[in-house]
Amino acid sequence: MSHQFLEIDRSQPITLPGNLEGWLDGNDLAHFIVEVVEALDTREIEAAYRGGGSAPYPPKRLLALLFYCDAKGIFSSRKIERATYELIPVLYLTGGLPPDHDSINSFRHRFLPPFERLFVQVLLIAHELGVVQLGDVSLDGTKIAANASQHHALSWAYAERLEQQLQAEVQTLLERAAAVEGPGAVDIDLPAELQRREDRLAKIAEVKAEIERRAQARYAQEQAAHAAKLAERAAKEQARGRKPGGKPPQAPTPGPRPDDQVNFTDGDSRIMPVSGGGFEQAYHAQATVTMGSLLIVGTHVTQHANDQQEIEPALAELAKRPETLGTVERMTADNGYLSEGNVNRLVDARIEPLIAVGRQSHHDALAERLAPVPEAPPNPDAVTAMQHRLKTPDGSPPL
Protein backbone atom coordinates (compact mmCIF):
# COMPACT_ATOMS: atom_id res chain seq x y z
CA MET A 1 0.00 0.00 0.00
CA SER A 2 1.48 3.35 -1.04
CA HIS A 3 1.43 6.39 1.25
CA GLN A 4 0.67 9.95 0.24
CA PHE A 5 3.18 12.28 1.86
CA LEU A 6 3.00 16.04 2.21
CA GLU A 7 4.80 17.86 -0.53
CA ILE A 8 7.50 20.29 0.61
CA ASP A 9 8.20 23.32 -1.55
CA ARG A 10 11.18 25.23 -0.13
CA SER A 11 10.69 28.06 -2.62
CA GLN A 12 7.16 28.78 -1.35
CA PRO A 13 6.77 32.08 0.63
CA ILE A 14 5.81 31.76 4.29
CA THR A 15 4.21 34.21 6.69
CA LEU A 16 6.45 35.26 9.59
CA PRO A 17 5.65 37.28 12.74
CA GLY A 18 5.86 41.02 12.29
CA ASN A 19 8.33 41.49 15.19
CA LEU A 20 10.87 39.52 17.20
CA GLU A 21 8.55 39.06 20.18
CA GLY A 22 6.16 37.15 17.97
CA TRP A 23 8.74 34.40 17.54
CA LEU A 24 8.81 33.52 21.23
CA ASP A 25 6.43 31.89 23.66
CA GLY A 26 5.36 34.26 26.40
CA ASN A 27 7.09 32.13 29.06
CA ASP A 28 10.42 31.90 27.25
CA LEU A 29 13.51 32.39 29.41
CA ALA A 30 14.63 35.27 27.17
CA HIS A 31 11.65 37.37 28.31
CA PHE A 32 12.53 36.81 31.97
CA ILE A 33 16.19 37.70 31.43
CA VAL A 34 15.29 40.95 29.64
CA GLU A 35 13.02 41.96 32.52
CA VAL A 36 15.69 41.19 35.13
CA VAL A 37 18.51 42.93 33.25
CA GLU A 38 16.39 46.05 32.68
CA ALA A 39 15.96 46.27 36.46
CA LEU A 40 19.73 46.17 37.10
CA ASP A 41 21.76 49.26 37.90
CA THR A 42 24.44 49.24 35.20
CA ARG A 43 25.61 52.86 35.59
CA GLU A 44 29.09 51.68 36.67
CA ILE A 45 29.56 49.88 33.36
CA GLU A 46 27.96 52.60 31.24
CA ALA A 47 30.18 55.28 32.83
CA ALA A 48 33.27 53.41 31.65
CA TYR A 49 32.44 54.17 28.02
CA ARG A 50 33.85 57.37 26.57
CA GLY A 51 32.66 59.42 23.63
CA GLY A 52 34.16 59.21 20.16
CA GLY A 53 34.12 56.60 17.44
CA SER A 54 31.09 54.51 16.58
CA ALA A 55 28.30 53.99 19.10
CA PRO A 56 29.02 51.05 21.44
CA TYR A 57 26.73 48.09 21.88
CA PRO A 58 24.26 48.67 24.78
CA PRO A 59 25.73 47.06 27.93
CA LYS A 60 22.33 45.68 29.03
CA ARG A 61 21.93 43.85 25.74
CA LEU A 62 25.36 42.25 26.12
CA LEU A 63 24.54 41.34 29.72
CA ALA A 64 21.25 39.74 28.67
CA LEU A 65 23.07 37.85 25.93
CA LEU A 66 25.72 36.53 28.35
CA PHE A 67 23.17 35.63 31.04
CA TYR A 68 21.04 33.68 28.57
CA CYS A 69 23.96 31.84 26.99
CA ASP A 70 25.42 30.98 30.41
CA ALA A 71 22.04 29.50 31.39
CA LYS A 72 22.04 27.44 28.20
CA GLY A 73 25.64 26.24 28.61
CA ILE A 74 27.05 28.34 25.75
CA PHE A 75 30.30 29.86 27.01
CA SER A 76 32.67 30.36 24.07
CA SER A 77 32.46 33.86 22.57
CA ARG A 78 32.58 32.37 19.07
CA LYS A 79 29.69 29.99 19.87
CA ILE A 80 27.74 32.90 21.36
CA GLU A 81 28.25 34.87 18.16
CA ARG A 82 27.03 31.89 16.15
CA ALA A 83 23.97 31.61 18.42
CA THR A 84 23.01 35.21 17.55
CA TYR A 85 22.35 33.96 14.00
CA GLU A 86 20.96 30.49 14.76
CA LEU A 87 18.84 30.73 17.95
CA ILE A 88 15.61 32.72 17.88
CA PRO A 89 15.70 33.70 21.62
CA VAL A 90 19.24 35.04 21.16
CA LEU A 91 18.18 36.95 18.06
CA TYR A 92 15.41 38.48 20.19
CA LEU A 93 17.86 39.41 22.97
CA THR A 94 20.18 41.21 20.57
CA GLY A 95 17.34 42.98 18.75
CA GLY A 96 18.63 41.75 15.43
CA LEU A 97 22.00 43.49 15.93
CA PRO A 98 24.45 40.63 16.65
CA PRO A 99 27.82 41.56 18.20
CA ASP A 100 30.95 39.82 16.98
CA HIS A 101 32.90 37.43 19.21
CA ASP A 102 35.67 39.99 19.85
CA SER A 103 33.15 42.46 21.29
CA ILE A 104 31.57 39.75 23.43
CA ASN A 105 34.93 38.55 24.76
CA SER A 106 36.24 42.07 25.42
CA PHE A 107 33.08 43.07 27.29
CA ARG A 108 33.19 39.96 29.46
CA HIS A 109 36.84 40.40 30.42
CA ARG A 110 36.69 44.17 30.85
CA PHE A 111 33.72 44.18 33.21
CA LEU A 112 34.27 40.94 35.12
CA PRO A 113 34.58 42.67 38.55
CA PRO A 114 31.22 44.55 38.24
CA PHE A 115 29.54 41.28 37.22
CA GLU A 116 29.78 40.04 40.83
CA ARG A 117 27.91 43.11 42.07
CA LEU A 118 25.28 42.59 39.37
CA PHE A 119 24.99 38.98 40.53
CA VAL A 120 24.06 40.25 44.01
CA GLN A 121 21.50 42.61 42.45
CA VAL A 122 19.89 39.63 40.69
CA LEU A 123 19.62 37.81 44.02
CA LEU A 124 18.00 40.85 45.63
CA ILE A 125 15.47 41.06 42.80
CA ALA A 126 14.73 37.35 43.23
CA HIS A 127 14.31 37.95 46.96
CA GLU A 128 11.83 40.79 46.34
CA LEU A 129 9.87 38.46 44.07
CA GLY A 130 9.79 35.89 46.86
CA VAL A 131 11.91 33.45 44.86
CA VAL A 132 15.06 33.23 46.98
CA GLN A 133 15.55 33.13 50.73
CA LEU A 134 18.67 31.84 52.42
CA GLY A 135 17.93 29.02 54.82
CA ASP A 136 18.67 25.53 53.58
CA VAL A 137 21.51 25.49 51.06
CA SER A 138 23.48 22.79 49.29
CA LEU A 139 27.16 22.86 48.30
CA ASP A 140 28.66 20.86 45.45
CA GLY A 141 31.60 21.02 43.07
CA THR A 142 32.38 20.11 39.49
CA LYS A 143 35.57 19.88 37.43
CA ILE A 144 35.86 22.36 34.55
CA ALA A 145 38.40 21.52 31.87
CA ALA A 146 41.16 24.09 31.42
CA ASN A 147 42.11 25.35 27.98
CA ALA A 148 45.32 23.38 28.21
CA SER A 149 46.51 19.89 27.38
CA GLN A 150 47.84 17.72 30.18
CA HIS A 151 50.52 16.65 27.71
CA HIS A 152 51.98 20.19 27.91
CA ALA A 153 53.05 19.64 31.48
CA LEU A 154 56.30 18.76 33.22
CA SER A 155 56.40 16.63 36.36
CA TRP A 156 59.06 16.84 39.07
CA ALA A 157 60.39 13.34 38.31
CA TYR A 158 60.63 13.98 34.57
CA ALA A 159 62.15 17.43 35.14
CA GLU A 160 64.88 15.80 37.25
CA ARG A 161 65.64 13.21 34.54
CA LEU A 162 65.52 15.78 31.74
CA GLU A 163 67.79 18.14 33.67
CA GLN A 164 70.40 15.41 34.12
CA GLN A 165 70.13 14.48 30.44
CA LEU A 166 70.62 18.07 29.25
CA GLN A 167 73.55 18.62 31.62
CA ALA A 168 75.20 15.49 30.21
CA GLU A 169 74.59 16.73 26.65
CA VAL A 170 76.16 20.10 27.48
CA GLN A 171 79.21 18.32 28.88
CA THR A 172 79.45 16.17 25.74
CA LEU A 173 79.25 19.23 23.49
CA LEU A 174 81.99 20.99 25.44
CA GLU A 175 84.21 17.93 25.20
CA ARG A 176 83.52 17.71 21.46
CA ALA A 177 84.49 21.37 21.08
CA ALA A 178 87.82 20.74 22.83
CA ALA A 179 88.59 17.92 20.36
CA VAL A 180 87.34 19.65 17.23
CA GLU A 181 90.58 18.92 15.35
CA GLY A 182 90.70 15.29 16.36
CA PRO A 183 89.48 12.23 14.46
CA GLY A 184 85.72 11.86 14.13
CA ALA A 185 85.05 15.58 14.60
CA VAL A 186 81.59 16.67 13.42
CA ASP A 187 80.82 20.09 12.01
CA ILE A 188 78.09 21.50 14.26
CA ASP A 189 76.95 24.97 15.32
CA LEU A 190 78.28 24.58 18.84
CA PRO A 191 77.07 27.96 20.25
CA ALA A 192 73.55 27.35 18.95
CA GLU A 193 73.44 23.80 20.36
CA LEU A 194 74.69 24.98 23.74
CA GLN A 195 72.25 27.90 23.83
CA ARG A 196 69.32 25.62 23.00
CA ARG A 197 70.13 23.39 25.96
CA GLU A 198 70.83 26.30 28.29
CA ASP A 199 67.41 27.74 27.44
CA ARG A 200 65.73 24.43 28.22
CA LEU A 201 67.64 24.12 31.49
CA ALA A 202 66.51 27.61 32.47
CA LYS A 203 62.88 26.69 31.74
CA ILE A 204 63.22 23.49 33.75
CA ALA A 205 64.68 25.46 36.66
CA GLU A 206 61.69 27.80 36.50
CA VAL A 207 59.25 24.88 36.54
CA LYS A 208 61.08 23.18 39.43
CA ALA A 209 61.00 26.38 41.46
CA GLU A 210 57.21 26.61 40.99
CA ILE A 211 56.75 22.95 41.94
CA GLU A 212 58.86 23.50 45.06
CA ARG A 213 56.80 26.57 45.97
CA ARG A 214 53.56 24.60 45.67
CA ALA A 215 55.03 21.71 47.66
CA GLN A 216 56.05 24.09 50.44
CA ALA A 217 52.52 25.54 50.61
CA ARG A 218 51.03 22.04 50.66
CA TYR A 219 53.41 20.97 53.42
CA ALA A 220 52.37 23.95 55.56
CA GLN A 221 48.70 22.98 55.17
CA GLU A 222 49.41 19.34 55.92
CA GLN A 223 51.43 20.29 59.01
CA ALA A 224 48.52 22.38 60.32
CA ALA A 225 46.10 19.51 59.70
CA HIS A 226 48.49 17.05 61.38
CA ALA A 227 48.82 19.29 64.43
CA ALA A 228 45.02 19.53 64.67
CA LYS A 229 44.71 15.72 64.54
CA LEU A 230 47.33 15.32 67.27
CA ALA A 231 45.54 17.86 69.46
CA GLU A 232 42.23 16.07 68.90
CA ARG A 233 43.83 12.73 69.77
CA ALA A 234 45.35 14.19 72.94
CA ALA A 235 41.99 15.66 73.96
CA LYS A 236 40.28 12.28 73.53
CA GLU A 237 43.03 10.58 75.52
CA GLN A 238 42.61 13.04 78.35
CA ALA A 239 38.81 12.74 78.33
CA ARG A 240 38.81 8.92 78.30
CA GLY A 241 41.81 8.42 80.54
CA ARG A 242 43.41 6.03 78.07
CA LYS A 243 45.12 6.13 74.71
CA PRO A 244 42.75 6.01 71.73
CA GLY A 245 42.88 2.99 69.47
CA GLY A 246 44.50 2.92 66.09
CA LYS A 247 47.79 4.25 64.88
CA PRO A 248 48.65 7.90 65.53
CA PRO A 249 48.39 10.15 62.46
CA GLN A 250 51.45 10.03 60.25
CA ALA A 251 53.47 13.22 59.95
CA PRO A 252 53.50 14.81 56.46
CA THR A 253 56.59 14.60 54.29
CA PRO A 254 58.11 17.84 52.98
CA GLY A 255 59.31 18.47 49.46
CA PRO A 256 57.99 17.82 45.95
CA ARG A 257 56.47 14.48 44.99
CA PRO A 258 57.45 12.68 41.77
CA ASP A 259 54.07 13.35 40.12
CA ASP A 260 53.87 17.05 41.07
CA GLN A 261 53.76 19.01 37.84
CA VAL A 262 53.26 22.38 36.15
CA ASN A 263 51.41 22.96 32.89
CA PHE A 264 53.16 25.19 30.34
CA THR A 265 49.94 26.40 28.68
CA ASP A 266 47.92 27.17 31.82
CA GLY A 267 50.07 27.17 34.92
CA ASP A 268 47.12 27.88 37.23
CA SER A 269 45.25 24.69 36.28
CA ARG A 270 45.89 21.31 37.89
CA ILE A 271 45.70 17.64 36.96
CA MET A 272 42.51 16.38 38.60
CA PRO A 273 40.58 13.10 38.69
CA VAL A 274 37.24 13.35 36.91
CA SER A 275 34.01 11.40 37.24
CA GLY A 276 33.97 8.28 35.14
CA GLY A 277 37.68 7.71 35.65
CA GLY A 278 40.83 9.26 34.29
CA PHE A 279 42.47 12.63 34.80
CA GLU A 280 42.11 16.03 33.19
CA GLN A 281 43.84 19.41 33.24
CA ALA A 282 41.13 21.32 35.04
CA TYR A 283 39.83 23.68 37.70
CA HIS A 284 37.41 22.78 40.49
CA ALA A 285 34.33 25.03 40.56
CA GLN A 286 32.12 25.16 43.66
CA ALA A 287 28.52 26.39 43.83
CA THR A 288 26.16 26.94 46.74
CA VAL A 289 22.45 26.86 45.86
CA THR A 290 19.28 27.41 47.86
CA MET A 291 17.32 24.20 48.35
CA GLY A 292 13.99 25.89 47.63
CA SER A 293 14.67 27.91 44.47
CA LEU A 294 17.87 26.17 43.28
CA LEU A 295 19.30 29.63 42.59
CA ILE A 296 23.06 29.92 42.95
CA VAL A 297 23.95 32.15 45.89
CA GLY A 298 27.70 31.59 46.08
CA THR A 299 30.52 30.43 43.83
CA HIS A 300 34.28 30.05 43.93
CA VAL A 301 36.94 28.25 41.91
CA THR A 302 39.73 26.25 43.50
CA GLN A 303 42.86 24.38 42.47
CA HIS A 304 42.22 21.60 45.00
CA ALA A 305 41.37 18.25 43.45
CA ASN A 306 38.90 17.27 46.20
CA ASP A 307 36.26 19.04 48.30
CA GLN A 308 37.87 18.77 51.73
CA GLN A 309 39.00 22.41 51.91
CA GLU A 310 35.96 24.06 50.30
CA ILE A 311 33.58 24.63 53.23
CA GLU A 312 35.53 27.63 54.50
CA PRO A 313 35.65 29.56 51.18
CA ALA A 314 31.99 28.72 50.55
CA LEU A 315 31.04 30.26 53.91
CA ALA A 316 33.21 33.30 53.10
CA GLU A 317 31.25 33.82 49.88
CA LEU A 318 27.91 33.48 51.67
CA ALA A 319 29.04 36.07 54.23
CA LYS A 320 29.25 38.63 51.41
CA ARG A 321 25.55 38.36 50.63
CA PRO A 322 23.22 41.13 51.91
CA GLU A 323 21.53 40.50 55.25
CA THR A 324 18.14 41.02 53.61
CA LEU A 325 18.52 37.61 51.95
CA GLY A 326 18.39 35.99 55.38
CA THR A 327 20.82 33.60 57.04
CA VAL A 328 21.89 30.06 56.26
CA GLU A 329 20.37 27.57 58.68
CA ARG A 330 21.36 24.20 57.21
CA MET A 331 23.96 23.11 54.66
CA THR A 332 23.95 19.79 52.84
CA ALA A 333 26.97 18.35 51.05
CA ASP A 334 28.15 14.98 49.80
CA ASN A 335 30.71 12.69 51.39
CA GLY A 336 33.63 14.48 49.74
CA TYR A 337 33.24 17.37 52.23
CA LEU A 338 33.18 15.15 55.32
CA SER A 339 35.76 15.94 57.97
CA GLU A 340 35.57 16.74 61.65
CA GLY A 341 37.02 20.18 60.96
CA ASN A 342 34.33 20.99 58.36
CA VAL A 343 31.52 19.82 60.63
CA ASN A 344 32.88 21.90 63.52
CA ARG A 345 33.31 24.92 61.23
CA LEU A 346 29.63 24.80 60.27
CA VAL A 347 28.56 24.34 63.88
CA ASP A 348 30.69 27.33 64.89
CA ALA A 349 28.93 29.36 62.18
CA ARG A 350 25.56 28.30 63.68
CA ILE A 351 24.74 26.29 60.57
CA GLU A 352 23.41 22.79 60.97
CA PRO A 353 25.72 20.42 59.03
CA LEU A 354 24.16 17.65 56.95
CA ILE A 355 27.18 16.08 55.27
CA ALA A 356 26.88 12.54 53.97
CA VAL A 357 28.99 10.14 56.04
CA GLY A 358 29.42 7.59 53.27
CA ARG A 359 28.39 6.67 49.77
CA GLN A 360 24.70 5.88 49.87
CA SER A 361 22.48 4.01 47.44
CA HIS A 362 20.04 6.09 45.43
CA HIS A 363 17.30 3.62 46.31
CA ASP A 364 17.58 2.37 49.87
CA ALA A 365 15.40 -0.53 50.90
CA LEU A 366 12.04 0.68 52.16
CA ALA A 367 12.46 -1.33 55.38
CA GLU A 368 15.65 0.60 56.14
CA ARG A 369 13.98 3.93 55.53
CA LEU A 370 11.01 3.02 57.70
CA ALA A 371 13.20 1.77 60.55
CA PRO A 372 12.63 3.55 63.89
CA VAL A 373 14.88 6.49 64.69
CA PRO A 374 17.72 5.39 67.00
CA GLU A 375 18.11 7.04 70.35
CA ALA A 376 20.39 10.06 70.47
CA PRO A 377 23.84 9.20 71.86
CA PRO A 378 24.79 10.81 75.20
CA ASN A 379 27.20 13.78 75.04
CA PRO A 380 27.98 13.38 71.33
CA ASP A 381 30.66 15.30 69.52
CA ALA A 382 29.65 17.34 66.45
CA VAL A 383 30.18 14.51 63.96
CA THR A 384 28.31 11.92 66.05
CA ALA A 385 25.43 14.34 66.56
CA MET A 386 25.27 14.94 62.80
CA GLN A 387 25.33 11.20 62.07
CA HIS A 388 22.32 10.74 64.35
CA ARG A 389 20.56 13.75 62.80
CA LEU A 390 20.91 12.19 59.34
CA LYS A 391 18.92 9.18 60.57
CA THR A 392 16.00 11.31 61.71
CA PRO A 393 13.11 12.52 59.47
CA ASP A 394 14.40 16.12 59.65
CA GLY A 395 17.84 15.09 58.46
CA SER A 396 16.96 12.58 55.72
CA PRO A 397 15.35 12.95 52.30
CA PRO A 398 11.61 12.27 51.90
CA LEU A 399 10.34 8.79 51.05
Side-chain angles (χ1 to χ4, degrees), residues 24 26 46 95 102 114 156 181 216 264 299 313 343 357 362 390-391:
L24 297 179
E46 293 164 1
D102 283 334
W156 178 264
E181 300 297 336
Q216 186 176 5
F264 293 121
T299 62
V343 172
V357 295
H362 289 289
L390 290 170
K391 297 177 181 178

Side-chain angles (χ1 to χ4, degrees), residues 4-158:
Q4 187 68 30
F5 296 104
L6 291 174
E7 294 186 3
I8 297 177
D9 183 2
R10 293 185 174 86
S11 64
Q12 181 179 353
I14 60 174
T15 302
L16 298 176
N19 54 54
L20 290 170
E21 287 187 341
W23 289 74
L24 297 179
D25 178 84
N27 295 321
D28 194 277
L29 175 64
H31 286 302
F32 175 74
I33 287 181
V34 167
E35 291 178 7
V36 171
V37 170
E38 288 301 321
L40 296 178
D41 182 357
T42 56
R43 286 175 295 180
E44 180 182 0
I45 295 177
E46 293 164 1
Y49 287 92
R50 297 180 178 178
S54 58
Y57 206 83
K60 286 190 175 181
R61 287 198 183 182
L62 283 173
L63 281 172
L65 174 63
L66 290 174
F67 286 173
Y68 182 88
C69 289
D70 283 348
K72 294 296 184 178
I74 306 172
F75 304 114
S76 162
S77 57
R78 291 183 182 274
K79 290 183 179 179
I80 294 175
E81 179 185 5
R82 188 187 310 159
T84 62
Y85 295 96
E86 297 177 350
L87 300 182
I88 292 176
V90 177
L91 182 64
Y92 164 73
L93 290 170
T94 59
L97 296 174
D100 60 74
H101 64 271
D102 283 334
S103 299
I104 296 168
N105 193 49
S106 298
F107 179 81
R108 181 161 49 188
H109 283 278
R110 181 181 180 186
F111 297 110
L112 193 58
F115 282 2
E116 182 175 356
R117 292 183 282 277
L118 292 174
F119 169 68
V120 175
Q121 287 187 44
V122 172
L123 292 179
L124 289 172
I125 292 173
H127 175 68
E128 292 174 2
L129 295 174
V131 176
V132 64
Q133 174 73 37
L134 291 181
D136 292 351
V137 299
S138 180
L139 175 64
D140 202 1
T142 185
K143 306 294 172 52
I144 296 179
N147 188 21
S149 170
Q150 57 180 306
H151 301 295
H152 293 168
L154 189 64
S155 69
W156 178 264
Y158 185 60

Side-chain angles (χ1 to χ4, degrees), residues 3 14 19 23 29 91 98-99 114 149 175 223 251 255 283-284 286 348 382:
H3 294 278
I14 60 174
N19 54 54
W23 289 74
L29 175 64
L91 182 64
S149 170
E175 292 173 357
Q223 275 189 312
Y283 292 92
H284 198 176
Q286 300 279 323
D348 292 342

Side-chain angles (χ1 to χ4, degrees), residues 75 112 116 119 139-147 221 266-270 272 281-288 296-307 309-318 320-321 337:
F75 304 114
L112 193 58
E116 182 175 356
F119 169 68
L139 175 64
D140 202 1
T142 185
K143 306 294 172 52
I144 296 179
N147 188 21
Q221 291 179 344
D266 185 353
D268 292 330
S269 62
R270 299 289 188 271
M272 297 186 182
Q281 199 75 32
Y283 292 92
H284 198 176
Q286 300 279 323
T288 305
I296 296 174
V297 292
T299 62
H300 70 275
V301 179
T302 177
Q303 297 168 323
H304 302 135
N306 58 51
D307 298 315
Q309 303 176 55
E310 306 314 319
I311 291 286
E312 185 68 38
L315 291 179
E317 284 298 310
L318 288 173
K320 299 177 183 178
R321 301 298 164 250
Y337 297 87

Side-chain angles (χ1 to χ4, degrees), residues 312-390:
E312 185 68 38
L315 291 179
E317 284 298 310
L318 288 173
K320 299 177 183 178
R321 301 298 164 250
E323 293 182 359
T324 52
L325 294 179
T327 58
V328 177
E329 298 173 0
R330 303 199 302 179
M331 176 179 284
T332 66
D334 62 35
N335 181 248
Y337 297 87
L338 180 63
S339 74
E340 185 170 13
N342 284 341
V343 172
N344 287 328
R345 178 66 186 87
L346 289 173
V347 171
D348 292 342
R350 298 184 178 181
I351 298 173
E352 182 181 349
L354 293 174
I355 303 176
V357 295
R359 293 188 177 274
Q360 298 174 329
S361 171
H362 289 289
H363 303 285
D364 293 336
L366 185 59
E368 294 181 11
R369 304 191 68 179
L370 292 176
V373 177
E375 293 185 5
N379 302 319
D381 57 27
V383 175
T384 305
M386 182 189 72
Q387 289 174 329
H388 175 264
R389 182 72 169 176
L390 290 170

Side-chain angles (χ1 to χ4, degrees), residues 158-178:
Y158 185 60
E160 291 270 88
R161 293 197 303 271
L162 190 58
E163 189 176 45
Q164 294 176 6
Q165 174 187 330
L166 290 171
Q167 289 173 345
E169 290 178 0
V170 168
Q171 185 62 33
T172 300
L173 287 170
L174 292 175
E175 292 173 357
R176 182 68 58 87

